[in-house]
Amino acid sequence: LKNLLGSSGINAEYGGTPAKTAWPLLRDCCSAFLTLGDGWPIAAVRELHEQKIVAGESGCAGYAALIAARQNENLRQDLQLSDQAVILLINTEGATDAVLYNQIIGKQTT
């Protein structure tokens, strides 16, 4: 599954660069942002699937970051996430690529 999302990752269209129109908002209004390797959204899709939530690999990026923070104390500290943190996650897409989604969750298609 290493190359499941493609050699360029899920953000191949933009090459990891924020849209020019979005950058001022991100720069001025966000306290933190991060990038994750392709393995994190794959894990997020699978975890959400186990909870009966259908999420695409891009749509679950926020949850993927939360999984990474759960497993990394330094990241939790950088994001200022405590045990009392209240987190709102928005899944922005379902399984828009059914073939890829089924590969990620391990479902065999005929």
Side-chain angles (χ1 to χ4, degrees):
L1 294 176
K2 181 178 179 184
N3 291 320
L4 193 58
L5 299 180
S7 61
S8 298
I10 62 173
N11 196 16
E13 183 178 349
Y14 300 107
T17 304
K20 289 178 183 177
T21 55
W23 176 243
L25 179 67
L26 292 171
R27 180 194 61 222
D28 298 341
C29 298
C30 294
S31 59
F33 31 112
L34 56 101
T35 60
L36 296 169
D38 288 344
W40 295 106
I42 289 172
V45 168
R46 288 180 179 153
E47 279 195 28
L48 291 171
H49 174 75
E50 290 171 4
Q51 299 298 317
K52 310 286 190 250
I53 299 170
V54 176
E57 65 282 359
S58 294
C60 69
Y63 187 62
L66 187 58
I67 293 171
R70 265 191 339 222
Q71 297 179 21
N72 184 306
E73 177 64 29
N74 290 332
L75 180 55
R76 274 194 307 280
Q77 289 176 1
D78 288 345
L79 296 175
Q80 300 177 0
L81 295 176
S82 70
D83 291 340
Q84 292 78 35
V86 177
I87 301 166
L88 171 66
L89 296 173
I90 299 173
N91 175 22
T92 59
E93 72 170 352
T96 56
D97 182 335
V99 173
L100 178 59
Y101 181 79
N102 287 329
Q103 287 177 318
I104 291 172
I105 64 169
K107 181 177 180 182
Q108 299 296 321
T109 58
T110 55

